[in-house]
Amino acid sequence: MIFITALRKEILELARTYRLLVAAIVLIFFGLTSPLMAKYMREFIGILPNTGGIDLTSIIPPPTTMDAVTQYIKNMSQFGIFLALLFGMGSVAQEKERGTAAMMLVKPMPRSMFILAKFAGLALLFAATLLVAGLACYYYTYLLFEALDVGAWLALNGLLLLQILVYVAATILCSTLLRTQIAAGGAAFGFMLVLAIFGAIPGWAKYFPGELTNWGMRLMAGDLQASWTALTIAVLIIVVSLAAAILAFRKQEL
């Protein structure tokens, strides 16, 4: 009951601060436009001036269904992670600054519920907006190219959500440890860079959350090769980040 009350408070806060609206606009927009960009990028490049007399469309292959999927994955990963950092960096730090965290904990509310409700609220936000964005992309891909495999498409979006939640959990940890949301945002951005750097090392990429989108791409192409190690590590990062945030928050004076 306490957790449900805290979760309702988080959802209401996400709506009142327009974070839900921003996430919906950004992700649904790119869900709609990803297949359009893949379909008409060749024509757009063909009308660009100053190409030195070279017909660029002759060297660009015709668009395919996988181009639409690739564009969708790229957009959802980039903007989903950016929004995760943006929304998560003030989740705890801002409430400590304003004093609202102390007011909530007087109710009384366990500090673990406070942190978990933050994560659950953002998880529901991204799950809902990604669902609508995925449906929009699926529909336009069907209109412009062909129908996608429903099972593989659902799996892909589930993996995208898990990748985003890794950064949600890590940013909540940073927001708990640091005093200001700017500092938390900087630390979370640094965490993102570290994962990106290590994920770019040959032979290491398969162990990091970025591999989840590669797994999703393979599923869409009909390749059933799984990346269970990357999935396990992603879940561990989430669990460890939330556990560390709870432990740190319990020791803090509000």
Side-chain angles (χ1 to χ4, degrees), residues 182-200:
I182 295 177
F189 183 75
F191 172 79
M192 181 188 71
L193 289 180
V194 168
L195 285 186
I197 291 171
F198 281 103

Side-chain angles (χ1 to χ4, degrees), residues 32 86 90 202 229:
L32 285 169
L86 182 64
T229 302

